[in-house]
Amino acid sequence: MSDDVTPIRQQYLEIKRQYPNAILFFRLGDFYETFDQDAETTSRELDLVLTSRPVARGVRVPMAGIPHHAAENYLARLIEKGFHVAICEQVGEQPIKGLFPREVVRVVTPGTLIEPGLLKGDQNNYLAGVTVVENRAGVAYVDITTGEFSATELQSEDILSAVRAELIRLGAVEILVPEGVDLNNGLSGHLTRWPAWRFEPARCQEAILNHFQVGALDGFGMRGMNMAVRSAGAILQYVQETQPGALKLLAGLSTYSLSEFMVLDAATRRNLELTETLRDGQVEGSLLSVLDHTATPMGKRLIRQWVSKPLLDLETIRGRQEAVGHLVEQGMLRAELRAGLRPLADLERLVNRVISLHAGPRDLTAMRDTLRSLPGLRGLFLQGSGPLEHIVARLHECGEQLALLEAAVADEPPATLANPGVIRSGYSTELDSIIEASRHAREWIANLEAVERERTGIKPLKVGYNKVFGYYIEISRGAADQAPSDYIRKQTLVNAERFITPEMKEYEALVLNAEDRIREIEGRLFRDLCGQIGGAGRLLLETARALAELDSLASLAETAALGRYVRPEVTADDMLDIRDGRHPVVERSLKGERFVPNDALFEPGEIVRVITGPNMSGKSTFLRQVALIALMAQMGSFVPAASARIGLVDRIFTRIGAQDEIHAGQSTFMVEMIETANILHHATGRSLLILDEIGRGTSTYDGVSIAWAVVEYIHNHPALRAHTLFATHYHELTQLSDLLPGVRNYNVAVSEADGKVVFLHKIVPGGADRSYGIHVAQLAGMPKPVVQRAGEIMRTLEQSSGKAVKINPEAAQQMALFPETNPMVEELKEIDPNSLSPIEALNKIYEWQKKYVSKG
Ligand code: ADP
Ligand code: MG
C-alpha cells in the first residue's frame, strides 16, 4: 500500500512519524481515532472495540475510536498507565483538496496535564528534569498548573540515591532523564527518557535565556550551576514541545538548596509514613492525614510540601510556631478563618488557567466567588494580625479584578463560549446593541405579516421562510398584482408570487447573523477579560499563596487544639527532651484503649538507647514517635507531648521493620545492610537515628554481631555520636551498656495478671529479663514440654556463646507435639494471624492449652 493509499492515510502517517513514542489521537469528525499499533494498544488498555478502516484498495488497518466529548476520561486512563498521547486536531475552516489540515496541538504526559479533571487538587503536579554527571546532579521541577519552577544541584558519593530521595520528596509525577541514566528503582513517577543532546549545556542555557528574554543567568542565581541549568533548560524544551500554551505561565525560575531542609532519605520518608502509609500507600494513616485540616486545595498542596521538608532555620521555624500559636490561642479567629476559607476555589490554578487562556466562563465565576470572600477574610484581621502580619500583607483585596468580573460575567454563564450568554448585559454597548437589535428584528419580522396586511389591504398575504430565499412575503396569484411598488418579485409558484423588501432583508440579516456575531463578540470580550485579569496575575497569585499559608497554619493550629499538642522549644544546642510524648497517628487509631505516653530524654553523654521488649509491646511505635515529634517540631508544628525541647536535627535516618517491605530483586537482608551503610556514612552528630531490629533479616549470630558492631561504631566514631534509638530483640545487646559509657538500656514494661500477659507500652530503664520470652510463653499457657525444651535450648546457646551451635535433633523431634489430625492444628488453619492482636493470640494459646493440653 504505497502510492495508492488514501490522502487521509498519508496525512496520518506523516504526523505519526513525528510522534513515534506517543499514541496519536487523530481527530476525525466527532471522534479521535487511533490506528495500527496505537489502535491495538488503546483497544486493549481501554476496552474499546477494535475495528478496521480501508486505507487503500483492498487494504484495511486496525482502528479504535474514542468519542471526542468523552476523551478526558480515556486520556486519564492512558496517562495513568504511563502512555503519552499526542492530540491531533483539525485546524482551519476549510478542507484543502477535500482534506482538512491537521496538526498536533499538544502531547499529553503525566507532568504536563492541565485538565482539572485529571489533576489531583491536593497535590502539586511536578514534572522534574534530571541531569547526572559523576557525583553531581541537577534537579529542576515545574508545576505548569501553578507556575512554580525551581532548580537545585546535588553532590554525593551515591548521587543516584540522593537524586531519588529528592524526587521522592517532590513526589514528581513525571521525570525527564537523558537516555542512559538509570533512575528506575523505587520511584513512583513516570520516567520519560529523552535524547541526551536535549540536555546539552549550551542548548539548555539558550532555552532559558530565550524563554525569559534575558541576557544572562545571574538574575536567577544560577551562574555556575551548570547541572541545574541543564535540567531546567531540558524542562523548558519539553514543555515547549508538549504543552506550548503553558510556557507563558513560567514567569520565574528560582534556585533552592537542599541544605535549607532536613534531609530525609527515601527509606526514611517511607518508614515514617509522612504522606502515605507503608501498607497501602494511602494518605489516610500517614502523618499528613493527622496534620491536614486544610480547607482549600492550595492549602492542601502547601501543607503536603511542609510535611515533606522540615526546616533547619531556627528563625523560620519559630516564625511558623508563633503563627500557629496565635491561631491556637485565638479559637474564634481560627474558626472564622477556616469557615471563610472553606468555600474558596483553587485560586492558584484558576489564575494560571486564565493566564494560559485555558479558562472557561465558569472558571471566571469561580474566581469571582473567591474574590468576593477576600474582604471578609481580610476583615478578620482588622484588630491586628500579630505574627500573621507578613502573610496578611500579601492577602490583597483584588477589588479591581472583582469589580471587573462582577461587571463583565453573567451570573450563571454557560459552560463554554460556544453558547451565548457569557457576558453580562450592560458591560459592552456593542454586544448589547446587537442583542437588542436582534431581539428587535425578530419582533419586527414576527409582526410583519399583520403590518403588511394592514398596509396593503391584501388579505391572503403571508410571511414565510425557507432555506434558499430566507424570509419572503407570499401573495396568492389572484391578489399578486395588488403588491405595492416596493415589493421585489423573487419567485413565481403555481398559485402564488413571492416577494421581498430591502428592509425586511436587513432585519433578516440581523437575525441570522446575530448569533454568530454575539458569539464572536463574546469570545473577544472574554479574551480581553482574561488578558486584564491575567495582567494582575502576580497580585492574584500572591493572594492565592497567602491564602494557602493561612490555611496551612490554621490547619496545624486546629490539629494542635484537637490533639492537645504543645509548642516544642526548638533550640540550637544538642538536646532531645520529650516528656510524655505520643505517636500522632497511633494515638488516634486506638479504639477504646488509652495511648500510653512515653518520655524520650537523653541525658548529657547519652548516645545510644537500646530498647528491648517482647514483640508487639510498642518498641517501633516509640521509635517512630520520637522521630515524628522532632520532624513536626521542625516543620513549625506543635507536637503530641506534655513538653518538648528539641535541638535542631539535621537529618533523620530510619531503618525499620524489614519484614514489612517488599523490594523487587534484592534480598531483605541486602536492603537492610545497604540502608544501614547509608546511615553510617551520612549521619552527623546532629542527626537522629532510628534503628529498629537491625540484623533481623539474617541468622541470629550474624544479626547480633552486626547490630553490636553498628552500635559500637555510632558510639565511638567521633563524627557520629548521634542520638540513636535502637530497638532489638537480641538482649545480648544490653551488655553493651557495661562496655560503652554512652549506651543506656530501656525495656517495655509488661504485667501479668490472672494468667494473662498485658503489655503496658511503658518504656522504662533497664534491660528486659533475659528469659523473658520463655516466661511469656509459659504464662500464655504453652504446653509444659515446649517451655522446658525452650529453656534447655537457651542454656545450650548460652554455653556455646557465639560458636556454631548443634542442637540435638532427637530432642528436637520430640517437639513434634502436634500430629496432623490434631483438632488444634485444624483450628490453627482457620486463623488469620494478621488480623489477631498479640493479646488475642496469647489468649488463644491460653484457651487451647485449657482445651487440649490439660485434657491429655
Ligand atoms: P513492637 O515494635 O515492640 O513489636 P509496635 O510498636 O509495633 O510493637 O506496637 C504494637 C502495637 O501496640 C501497636 O500497633 C499499638 O496498637 C500498640 N501500642 C504501641 N505503643 C503503644 C502505646 N504507647 N500505647 C498504647 N498502645 C500502644
Ligand atoms: Mg517493631
Side-chain angles (χ1 to χ4, degrees):
M1 59 164 185
S2 50
D3 299 337
D4 54 347
V5 299
T6 58
I8 199 154
R9 176 66 176 173
Q10 265 171 28
Q11 185 187 41
Y12 172 83
L13 290 174
E14 250 158 57
I15 294 173
K16 177 66 195 176
R17 226 187 325 271
Q18 298 162 43
Y19 296 91
N21 299 320
I23 292 175
L24 186 63
F25 272 24
F26 192 73
R27 181 70 177 267
L28 282 176
D30 286 337
F31 277 77
Y32 288 118
E33 300 289 0
T34 57
F35 298 103
D36 310 313
Q37 188 61 48
D38 286 356
E40 276 158 27
T41 311
T42 47
S43 79
R44 183 183 63 241
E45 300 291 341
L46 301 177
D47 255 335
L48 294 171
V49 185
L50 188 65
T51 59
S52 67
R53 182 184 168 101
V55 294
R57 181 168 312 155
V59 184
R60 303 183 74 91
V61 295
M63 175 171 95
I66 288 157
H68 158 251
H69 62 86
E72 192 164 302
N73 169 28
Y74 289 109
L75 259 181
R77 285 159 59 192
L78 287 176
I79 300 301
E80 179 94 343
K81 291 169 192 263
F83 294 102
H84 293 189
V85 179
I87 310 256
C88 176
E89 296 285 1
Q90 250 161 243
V91 294
E93 306 281 294
Q94 297 291 327
I96 298 168
K97 293 193 203 142
L99 188 64
F100 268 105
R102 285 185 176 78
E103 65 187 42
V104 169
V105 293
R106 60 181 282 222
V107 182
V108 187
T109 74
T112 57
L113 293 177
I114 47 162
E115 288 74 10
L118 304 189
L119 289 163
K120 293 191 183 129
D122 60 351
Q123 292 181 26
N124 280 104
N125 201 61
Y126 289 132
L127 163 70
V130 173
T131 328
V132 181
V133 173
E134 287 161 11
N135 61 352
R136 300 197 320 126
V139 172
Y141 65 87
V142 68
D143 182 342
I144 63 169
T145 66
T146 65
E148 193 181 352
F149 188 18
S150 204
T152 193
E153 292 199 349
L154 295 74
Q155 191 163 2
S156 166
E157 291 135 54
D158 185 1
I159 190 65
L160 290 183
S161 298
V163 166
R164 231 174 270 138
E166 178 57 3
L167 293 171
I168 287 172
R169 181 185 74 78
L170 288 166
V173 294
E174 182 176 0
I175 301 146
L176 195 58
V177 292
E179 274 158 5
V181 172
D182 187 18
L183 273 178
N184 248 333
N185 202 350
L187 290 172
S188 60
H190 172 70
L191 220 53
T192 299
R193 295 201 165 76
W194 231 30
W197 57 267
R198 295 291 199 161
F199 295 79
E200 277 168 12
R203 170 180 297 270
C204 290
Q205 170 157 349
E206 197 180 301
I208 296 174
L209 296 180
N210 272 345
H211 174 75
F212 292 106
Q213 295 290 304
V214 291
L217 292 170
D218 303 45
F220 304 109
M222 293 185 88
R223 186 212 277 272
M225 293 178 70
N226 208 357
M227 307 296 287
V229 167
R230 293 171 66 182
S231 306
I235 283 187
L236 277 176
Q237 298 170 60
Y238 189 67
V239 174
Q240 169 74 48
E241 290 197 1
T242 53
Q243 185 60 290
L247 276 177
K248 59 165 142 332
L249 294 177
L250 308 183
L253 168 59
S254 62
T255 58
Y256 67 105
S257 159
L258 290 172
S259 61
E260 293 161 34
F261 317 123
M262 187 193 280
V263 179
L264 298 168
D265 55 84
T268 299
R269 276 176 201 287
R270 271 201 319 275
N271 287 334
L272 292 179
E273 309 191 290
L274 297 187
T275 54
E276 56 187 45
T277 60
L278 275 173
R279 194 156 41 90
D280 55 9
Q282 299 295 305
V283 177
E284 190 50 45
S286 67
L287 177 64
L288 179 63
S289 75
V290 173
L291 297 178
D292 183 3
H293 285 96
T294 56
T296 68
M298 49 266 182
K300 278 212 178 335
R301 291 194 294 270
L302 185 62
I303 199 157
R304 176 181 281 265
Q305 290 184 14
W306 285 2
V307 170
S308 304
K309 46 184 200 191
L311 305 168
L312 291 180
D313 179 50
L314 271 185
E315 198 94 335
T316 323
I317 294 170
R318 287 181 183 150
R320 239 185 241 172
Q321 289 186 332
E322 290 288 331
V324 174
H326 185 73
L327 288 166
V328 170
E329 283 157 29
Q330 312 269 324
M332 261 313 267
L333 172 65
R334 184 174 77 244
E336 285 171 352
L337 177 60
R338 297 183 64 237
L341 289 167
R342 204 159 295 127
L344 301 193
D346 194 339
L347 185 60
E348 195 179 25
R349 281 187 171 157
L350 282 176
V351 172
N352 279 294
R353 289 174 65 72
V354 168
I355 295 175
S356 62
L357 298 181
H358 283 110
R362 296 199 178 147
D363 289 326
L364 291 196
T365 51
M367 183 184 285
R368 179 174 65 198
D369 292 343
T370 294
L371 297 190
R372 276 179 189 152
S373 306
L374 295 181
L377 282 168
R378 277 191 65 93
L380 295 176
F381 300 99
L382 286 179
Q383 321 302 348
S385 39
L388 302 174
E389 190 182 333
H390 64 289
I391 304 170
V392 175
R394 283 179 280 125
L395 180 64
H396 308 290
E397 270 195 28
C398 308
E400 222 173 285
Q401 291 69 42
L402 175 59
L404 187 58
L405 291 171
E406 297 276 20
V409 184
D411 282 341
E412 287 177 18
T416 73
L417 285 157
N419 298 314
V422 173
I423 302 292
R424 183 189 293 281
S425 71
Y427 178 67
S428 154
T429 43
E430 186 192 13
L431 180 64
D432 288 351
S433 66
I434 287 177
I435 293 172
E436 175 55 27
S438 130
R439 198 177 50 78
H440 175 71
R442 267 175 219 283
E443 269 173 28
W444 190 89
I445 290 171
N447 291 333
L448 186 62
E449 194 171 283
V451 169
E452 289 300 299
R453 277 192 193 157
E454 175 82 31
R455 177 166 82 98
T456 59
I458 302 172
K459 283 276 132 49
L461 178 151
K462 285 189 296 191
V463 171
Y465 178 86
N466 75 22
K467 279 231 169 81
V468 184
F469 295 113
Y471 288 100
Y472 55 79
I473 296 169
E474 188 177 295
I475 303 177
S476 60
R477 177 152 300 280
D481 51 358
Q482 296 169 40
S485 59
D486 60 332
Y487 278 23
I488 301 164
R489 190 184 306 266
K490 210 60 197 169
Q491 191 185 18
T492 303
L493 305 179
V494 182
N495 298 321
E497 294 282 346
R498 285 180 178 173
F499 304 90
I500 57 163
T501 71
E503 199 185 9
M504 117 185 224
K505 281 291 130 182
E506 272 172 38
Y507 280 108
E508 177 188 290
L510 261 176
V511 169
L512 296 182
N513 297 334
E515 204 158 289
D516 282 347
R517 292 215 47 206
I518 289 170
R519 201 177 293 131
E520 174 214 306
I521 296 173
E522 286 204 324
R524 175 157 44 80
L525 291 172
F526 189 83
R527 281 190 298 278
D528 282 357
L529 192 57
C530 287
Q532 286 184 63
I533 302 286
R538 205 189 51 80
L539 189 82
L540 290 162
L541 281 177
E542 199 168 279
T543 302
R545 284 165 194 162
L547 289 168
E549 273 184 63
L550 287 175
D551 196 7
S552 299
L553 291 167
S555 169
L556 290 182
E558 181 76 4
T559 310
L562 291 178
R564 288 167 293 107
Y565 289 9
V566 297
R567 174 171 171 177
E569 186 186 336
V570 184
T571 72
D573 30 76
D574 181 15
M575 63 150 48
L576 184 62
D577 177 350
I578 298 167
R579 311 283 169 109
D580 280 345
R582 284 133 37 212
H583 190 296
V585 181
V586 174
E587 78 165 335
R588 280 202 334 174
S589 65
L590 290 182
K591 305 247 150 54
E593 259 177 273
R594 195 176 72 92
F595 189 88
V596 179
N598 274 303
D599 296 346
L601 176 105
F602 277 69
E603 38 188 274
E606 179 175 351
I607 300 168
V608 180
R609 184 170 284 203
V610 174
I611 300 160
T612 41
N615 235 346
M616 297 299 280
S617 58
K619 302 183 298 297
S620 299
T621 306
F622 175 68
L623 261 52
R624 288 180 196 219
Q625 121 190 357
V626 172
L628 288 175
I629 288 175
L631 188 143
M632 289 163 78
Q634 288 185 225
M635 65 175 276
S637 169
F638 283 23
V639 299
S643 74
R645 297 180 66 196
I646 291 167
L648 277 180
V649 170
D650 65 349
R651 311 175 66 146
I652 296 177
F653 290 95
T654 62
R655 173 57 239 153
I656 288 182
Q659 84 276 26
D660 295 344
E661 290 171 57
I662 304 145
H663 288 268
Q666 279 175 319
S667 81
T668 318
F669 181 62
M670 188 59 182
V671 172
E672 189 174 320
M673 287 301 106
I674 289 172
E675 291 183 6
T676 308
N678 171 49
I679 296 176
L680 298 183
H681 283 308
H682 294 104
T684 74
R686 295 307 297 265
S687 305
L688 175 61
L689 273 48
I690 300 295
L691 304 176
D692 195 351
E693 311 265 15
I694 286 201
R696 168 138 90 182
T698 184
S699 75
T700 311
Y701 286 104
D702 281 3
V704 177
S705 318
I706 291 169
W708 186 291
V710 166
V711 172
E712 273 185 357
Y713 187 81
I714 294 169
H715 182 277
N716 295 338
H717 196 299
L720 266 147
R721 305 181 69 83
H723 284 152
T724 302
L725 293 167
F726 196 120
T728 183
H729 62 278
Y730 299 132
H731 42 67
E732 286 84 347
L733 294 184
T734 56
Q735 296 166 36
L736 274 163
S737 69
D738 299 335
L739 307 170
L740 303 173
V743 175
R744 302 282 182 283
N745 290 330
Y746 282 77
N747 72 92
V748 196
V750 174
S751 94
E752 335 156 349
D754 306 332
K756 285 190 181 179
V757 177
V758 179
F759 294 153
L760 299 178
H761 305 304
K762 197 76 192 167
I763 315 283
V764 294
D769 181 353
R770 238 172 134 51
S771 59
Y772 193 77
I774 295 175
H775 188 49
V776 172
Q778 183 181 8
L779 271 174
M782 278 274 200
K784 266 215 184 68
V786 176
V787 176
Q788 276 167 1
R789 176 66 184 142
E792 277 168 43
I793 294 177
M794 197 175 79
R795 275 189 296 283
T796 318
L797 290 175
E798 274 171 12
Q799 281 155 20
S800 66
S801 64
K803 284 172 242 130
V805 193
K806 246 203 187 132
I807 294 170
N808 180 354
E810 257 170 57
Q813 268 179 13
Q814 292 167 17
M815 293 282 289
L817 290 171
F818 313 121
E820 294 231 348
T821 51
N822 191 311
M824 185 173 144
V825 174
E826 295 309 304
E827 255 190 78
L828 200 54
K829 284 181 187 160
E830 300 294 301
I831 287 178
D832 171 14
N834 294 326
S835 69
L836 279 190
S837 81
I839 297 288
E840 278 169 347
L842 284 180
N843 288 329
K844 193 83 202 162
I845 294 175
Y846 188 63
E847 182 194 314
W848 286 338
Q849 195 248 353
K850 259 189 162 168
K851 211 153 123 193
Y852 303 116
V853 183
S854 45
K855 253 193 253 161

